Amino acid sequence: MMTNPGAERVKSVKALSRRSVRLRTGRFLAEGPQSVREAVVHHPEQVVDLYLTAQARTRHADIVEAATEAGRYLHEVSDEVLAAMCDTPTPQGLAAVCTTTTATLDEVLASGPRLLVLLTNVRDPGNAGTVIRGADAAGADAVLVSDASVDVHSPKVVRSTAGSLFHLPLVTGLPIEETVGRLRAAGIRVLAADGAGDVLLPQVDLTPPHAWVMGNEAWGLAPEVRDLCDEVVRVPIYGKAESLNLAMAATVCLYASAAAHNR
């Protein structure tokens, strides 16, 4: 059992909370049973090392069994060591160092996608992670992330996805103008979700392949980005709320798309 919170291995895992280290090593940390389980079950090849407490070994025997069958390295650690490794002080007994494998836009377009979401200038980790989770739940084919958005492998984003990070392709570092052009060239309608939209969500035909473009939490989509899109769509507000936040609006739009595709 690893019991020294000051050990070099512990420090190297903790360092993955920094973006510069993630970029240099090509690794990130998944914390908690939900994220670790999804990594082990869906992409065990991405799991480099799995760290767990004695209590977690008993409580999450299914994860241990799956990781062992996949030939992953398991390291038993004390509660203090795991807390020193993780971004959150309560990692619930499990953490896994994973490789930061991402897809390419070419691969996504070649798959013939019907539903995509493109995040542009999204800076809040919780919002980004929740949109990824919502896209997964709505059956989206991939999540595209602009070069000006938050790092999807940061600890808060990974936790917010609740494991969905391992369920669908993520394409990161994309320039917006070029990406929108490529989507349209591939026959995918590009829909801007914005409170300034003239078209209401229930009025939009969501049966053809399309991509939702979601903007910054504070100022929404820039006018030049809206101008690139085929339509600017507004989620109707029936009550007295001034607006919906990014994650809520994205989920509403994605589920409207899912409903149209599954009729």
Side-chain angles (χ1 to χ4, degrees), residues 192-217:
D194 194 89
D198 295 325
V199 182
L200 292 177
L201 179 60
Q203 300 169 340
V204 183
D205 181 8
L206 298 174
T207 53
H210 58 277
W212 285 106
V213 181
M214 304 289 172
N216 181 270
E217 296 85 350

Side-chain angles (χ1 to χ4, degrees), residues 212-237:
W212 285 106
V213 181
M214 304 289 172
N216 181 270
E217 296 85 350
W219 58 82
L221 287 171
E224 57 268 25
V225 175
R226 292 200 300 266
D227 291 343
L228 296 172
C229 299
D230 294 294
E231 286 187 282
V232 182
V233 182
R234 174 165 50 94
V235 176
I237 302 292

